[in-house]
Amino acid sequence: MKYRQLTKEQFLELHQEFAEFLATQQIDAKEWANIKKENPSMAEEELNIFSDVVWEDVLSKTEYLEHISEGHINLFKCQSDLIIRIYIKLKNNNKSFLNTDDFQWFLKNPLNEQFDYFKAEKKYTKERNFELFELIEMGSQISKGGLFNAINQLIG
């Protein structure tokens, strides 16, 4: 397995897609129920294969990631051959990016002296999608890139 198995909630959301995936292997609902009962290791392998297919599809389409914590924001633009990172550090320990009011204040005052910015880019050291997956597993979320692009325009 290349990534990790989808959660139960994710499988429930992708119920129809999973049924279509099984159908491509000539496995109908009755046969799937039998496989789960009679051959749980084969059922587990099918779940793993489907999970990898879904992750690969999602990661291939991912253009931006962001990870927001109390005192830091990491924004990533995920290109085909390199990843661009914008790192924002909050110097004021009395504020938190996780606090809605403080985050709104940051959005209105991004050039305030309470913020340090760092921007860099690097080529992927592993396969692109696997590096993105690792960032997601560490807490990053897929985004549309609005915050990345706004901050990138400010800091050039």
Side-chain angles (χ1 to χ4, degrees), residues 25-37 42:
Q25 299 176 64
Q26 286 78 45
I27 300 173
D28 61 20
K30 183 178 176 185
E31 188 172 350
W32 176 243
N34 188 47
I35 289 171
K36 289 193 300 186
K37 182 179 174 188
M42 183 180 168

Side-chain angles (χ1 to χ4, degrees), residues 54-71:
V54 169
W55 275 114
E56 197 65 41
D57 183 53
V58 168
L59 294 167
S60 294
K61 294 175 183 172
T62 298
E63 294 181 47
Y64 296 94
L65 293 172
E66 58 186 45
H67 185 259
I68 301 172
S69 61
E70 267 190 48

Side-chain angles (χ1 to χ4, degrees), residues 75 77 84 86 119 146-156:
L75 305 170
K77 183 174 184 178
I84 301 167
I86 296 175
K119 181 179 176 184
L147 188 55
F148 179 97
N149 289 317
I151 298 298
N152 193 43
Q153 284 183 337
L154 282 176
I155 65 172

